[in-house]
Amino acid sequence: MSPTALLDRVKGYYHRTPQFLCLLLIQSLTYAAAAAAAVADEEQRPMMSPRWAAGLSILYTLLYVLPFYLSSATRPSARLSRDAPSVIRARIRLVTISSVVSAITTLKFIAHGRPIRDLHALRLMGCWPLAPRDILRTLLLTAILFAGPLFEKGAVEGGWQRWVRGHELRATLGSWIGWRNYIAGPVSEEVVFRASLVPLHVLARAAPASIVFQTPLYFGIAHLHHLYEYRLTHPHTPWGPALLRSLLQFAFTSVFGFYATFVFLRTASLPAVVLAHAFCNWCGLPRVWGRVELDVGRAEGPLSLPGTAPAEESGKTGRGVGHATDARRRRPSVAWSVAYYVLLVAGAVGFWRGLWPLTDSPNALLVFGRVEA
């Protein structure tokens, strides 16, 4: 090649280089933008579809309840009470299996398709960190709500003396009914309906309000089968009152589910909701009408105060529906009832005011609708 031709080629490269560099830069930026969009889309895409989350929630609910009806040892009947020790033991075994299966299934879905950071799955299921501060604050909030019933149990009935001596705890956990109501029931139900079920909807990126107010309905539905059991053991009770009883049970279990789910999302603490569940089971539904009463056979309360009279002398029944007048029940002075209802209202107000500050936690799964996990 002659020197003149070589010089002309170099000049051509020189003149075309800016165009080439511009095209290369534009193409590189285009590829980079497409890659960034793909990464952003992948991060925003839910790890689970809402339909999958709803389907697994239904499956968990059925898995928790249906095994009761597959064996004669756990199947309700007119001759076999659900409170029989043999039935309780068999049902505890079944719900333990259901809880383990549900928890492992959720764990598999959390781990599928993405690298899991250290303890990420345990955090999403409320098992880590333990956060004793969140547990104590949740118990305090729940106790504030039940200020009235605690006053009735502890002060009016003198239960505080049994609490201090440990008699109440030993008596409660010394029976299979107590073990079911305060240990096996709260643990298994919270593992299934909070630790296993709620993370599915978090992975589906459901709205916080949807998680708080819809997922507990599975928890409430899981208790509707008690209508069938009640009809078997109370065949002479009309359908109307029996159905009303089950609807009320569905209502208050769902309401508790709203609270437990809210606390779980705000604290990511399974122990907190388990203890709150056991505490609510122990307190029961609060009295909303009638005067406070004492059981003479066990109460150590203010029996000697002026104004205390046998219930049958007053001609009025006591607490709620189905609590018949009993010669062994006494009514303290009306001042104790006034104090109870004042504390009941004050507890409800204090609960509402403390709901957000006492559940504030750095471990929260959701913050103002943004998924933290």
Side-chain angles (χ1 to χ4, degrees), residues 10-26:
V10 171
K11 287 182 179 180
Y13 284 142
Y14 175 78
H15 288 301
R16 288 195 299 268
T17 297
Q19 300 176 6
F20 174 75
L21 290 178
C22 289
L23 291 174
L24 181 62
L25 180 60
I26 293 173

Side-chain angles (χ1 to χ4, degrees), residues 4 13 21 56-57 68 82-83 86 100 114 118 158-159 177 188 195 252 257 268 274 288 294 319 340 353:
T4 304
Y13 284 142
L21 290 178
L56 284 173
S57 299
F68 293 164
R82 65 186 295 268
D83 292 333
S86 61
V100 171
R114 59 176 270 186
D118 291 344
I177 293 178
S188 63
F252 68 71
V274 168
V288 293
L294 293 171
R319 180 179 184 174
Y340 167 83
R353 291 184 175 179

Side-chain angles (χ1 to χ4, degrees), residues 211-231:
I211 298 176
V212 170
F213 293 109
Q214 291 183 14
T215 60
L217 298 180
Y218 299 107
F219 177 64
I221 291 171
H223 291 78
L224 288 179
H225 72 103
H226 291 308
L227 171 62
Y228 174 67
E229 294 182 344
Y230 184 79
R231 286 290 301 167

Side-chain angles (χ1 to χ4, degrees), residues 113-136:
R114 59 176 270 186
I116 297 299
R117 301 185 301 271
D118 291 344
L119 302 177
H120 170 78
L122 293 180
R123 175 179 175 269
L124 196 58
M125 297 180 70
C127 300
W128 186 265
L130 294 179
R133 175 177 173 271
D134 292 338
I135 297 173
L136 293 176

